[in-house]
Amino acid sequence: MASISIPLEKRRSALVEWLTTVDHKKIGIVYMGLAFTFFIFSGLLALAIRTQLAAPGMTVISQEFYNQAFTMHGTGMIFLFTIPFLVGGFGNYFMPIQIGARDMAFPKMNAFSLWLFVFAGFVMEFGFMLSMVANATGWGNLGLGSAASWNAYVPYSTRAFSPQAGMDIWLIGITLNGISGTLGAVNILVTVYSLRAPGMSVWRLPMFTWTLITTAVMILLATPVLTAGLMMLTTDRNFNTQFFTTADPRMWQHVFWFYSHPAVYIMVLPAMGVISEILPVFSRKPIFGLKALMVSTALIALLGFTTWAHHMFVSGVNPLIQRFFMFTTMLIAVPTGVKIFNWIFTMWGGSLNMKTPLMMSIGFISTFTIGGITGVFLGMIPVDQQLHNSYYVVSHFHYVLFGGSVFGIFGGLYYWLPKIYGRMLSDKIGKVQFWLMLFGFNLTFFPQYILGLLGMPRRIATYLPDRGWDIPNLLSSIGAFTIAFSVLLFIINFVIYIVGRKGEVAGDDPWEGNTLEWMTQSPPPEYNFKTIPVVHSERPLWDIRHANDNTNAHGKH
Amino acid sequence: MLVNTVTADAIAINSLYNIALFFAVIVFFIVQGLLLFSAYKYKRKKADELPAQNHGNMKLELFWTIVPALIVIMLFFLSANTLSQLSGAGTQASPIHNVHKIGDDNAKRRIEDAKRTDMIIEISGRQWFWQYKYIKDGVNHSSQNDGELVIPEGKVVRLDMNSKDVLHAWWVPSFGGMLYVNPGEMSYLWIDKPPRGSYIGQCNAYCGLQHAQMISRIKVVSQAEYDTWVKLKKAEQGGVATEGGNAERGAQLYVDGGYTYAEAIAKGDTKNTGLQAQEVADLSAYLDTLK
């Protein structure tokens, strides 16, 4: 072996290393970095939308661009930010360490998933960006953007009504992204199945890992359905097949929502996992009702597959079938409520370390609850017949996906970035960011409930002054800019305290964590652990810290 | 909480909403109260304090599983009950499916039996306006140029809707209810005895570039005003003699004197309009109210 002992670190430049890495941690970082970039870009589109709607009859952006902007805001946030950030980013980086593995089960497939995601994101956004620049500079309409909204309802998305190439580009981008996600889900499931540390039984899996595998099951069952549907729509548009063009008008809607309703849980379950990690650590208590939380996660995943047609209560679905979907939709509120109470009672009687990750988690519970409650309203068919597609719905799902997922993601960032980079973020800036974001979020989205009740439909580029929608819209737009400012604070925090190395050195375990990622160095070495740890409870690090006192964690209480 | 609900359907939906809101507010205050209380009360006071290691409480957990389950099951039955009260609902056991393929006569018959109907208006959704066809009165009209859907007060109006291109959705919040309008299919909604007034609705299924401009203005008037309006519309469409003539042609149709029907009415012309003197005077007065 001596003849080929070229030191690894000299063999490749940093750039080549990042482009060819199969290390789950580096792959996770690339996922996070890119997904966050898409978050910023899609957020800027939201600002364009909110500027246009700040007052009636505005013409800040053209109606054509508006329609592309809300399409790309939605698809960008869902397919290029929330899912890849939580599953590809946090999932890739932390799940293997949490279960005491040295990498994913299929590191090369992991790298393939990543670069397929990068390519898909590029395909989805690049045509749109070119079109945007061409419009702004007066080159004319290139037609490379999609304006069919994220649900791409047939027949509007067929060639007859959306002839531009942008529609095909968008379809191909989402298709590729779906393949990437499906491969990633296989990788996650195989990794957790086969690479757990000794002693890590199912009930000892960290909550984040547990939510990640339920998410992976959902991705595996749901995403191929959408991918197939997208391919069929693409061939309808280009090769004159008749999958959707001559089918029942609801056919596409069934295929689309069979994926896209579970997608909501795909986006929110891992974020629930993140705060289920943070809450017990910052309360210095075990999570309340671990088994109930794990079972309710699985129940949400299961029930999540039986509710899709509640998006079609006014599409003309058979009314008896609608009643079935109303029942399942309302039932899913129960396991969700179980989670909320379990989280609160994790804090109850604890010793709360009021740092940014915990505050973000409290923000999650508070705002997500409002989103969950209004979901029950929309699940009631008569109410949905009034509020379907209105701003009430827009507000509802932002309370779930921003109030839930985004608060969860920021909580996770403040919690885990010290592990990734070995330095702490500023807690002061973090708290200012939290309060601004919470205020801005409610200012943006609460008035949208009122707009929905006042009859404002979603996806309209402008409105007339005689509708009484002016003030809520103005408030909402002010809120949107407040959110943008709070995100800017996070970027400043990151640049100064982590990139600029101003932050305190984190050490292995700055938070008194419970799970195995806090056992190794910050940042973790490439092999994660020198020796694979042995696990005796769901809080292996607590066991080590309290080995000599009588609060032994895996005893009965 | 819904605003300006005027028909029985809208009022029924509103009261269901309010019942749900009652429980929602209770749940909201319990959750936010517990959350804020524990965040305030249990802040870490000493760096080394160690709280009791409580892993859960089966009774509490059963409580917050069963009580919410009972609430949502109750809301489910209330919703099903409200559904069966809405216009053309049928019964709970066999609800009316108010969408069917064009040409499905059995389904159409069930719709016709579902609710007593005073008048039928056929509505076609198009990118990006609504076309209205009053079946009995022979009026053709559209939402373009702020065109209003004029209906007489206190009547049960059935909307027979269809799309000529992509999906649209009919929604007038004050009347309650919404339905997609699909190509190749008929969708039915009822406006149940609306009171006089002006109402506004909007297409609520994204349908392309000018989706935001696909607005429907509805004016509910007295029977007398409605009758006058019908005569006027017919006059515009080519006079009583050419009943059923189309609107585009009617707008350009000149009478013998070299002016339009509307102008003929304004001039009190009975000969060219073919109307009685009193009718011309009524129409003329109505025209003035529009100016």
Side-chain angles (χ1 to χ4, degrees), chain A residues 63 147 250 284 388-389, chain B residues 42 44 49 185 204 206 213:
Chain A
Q63 196 137 290
R250 284 161 295 276
R284 219 178 248 170
H388 174 91
N389 264 3
Chain B
Y42 298 110
R44 186 166 298 173
E49 71 184 357
E185 290 188 344
N204 199 17
Y206 174 67
Q213 279 76 41

Side-chain angles (χ1 to χ4, degrees), chain A residues 154-155 246-251 253-254 312 314-318, chain B residues 97-104 107-108 111 122-125 130 159-168 179-188:
Chain A
V154 172
T246 56
D248 183 288
R250 284 161 295 276
M251 180 63 99
Q253 298 173 28
H254 279 296
M312 301 163 63
V314 292
S315 295
V317 173
N318 182 307
Chain B
H97 194 179
N98 56 349
V99 171
H100 69 72
K101 289 252 176 300
I102 287 179
D104 183 344
K108 170 114 188 172
I111 293 292
E122 275 184 15
I123 298 184
S124 302
W130 301 99
L159 308 178
D160 292 12
M161 301 184 289
N162 162 251
S163 168
K164 301 295 182 199
D165 38 52
V166 300
L167 305 183
H168 303 283
L179 197 57
Y180 273 53
V181 178
N182 304 317
E185 290 188 344
M186 296 305 299
S187 302
Y188 300 90

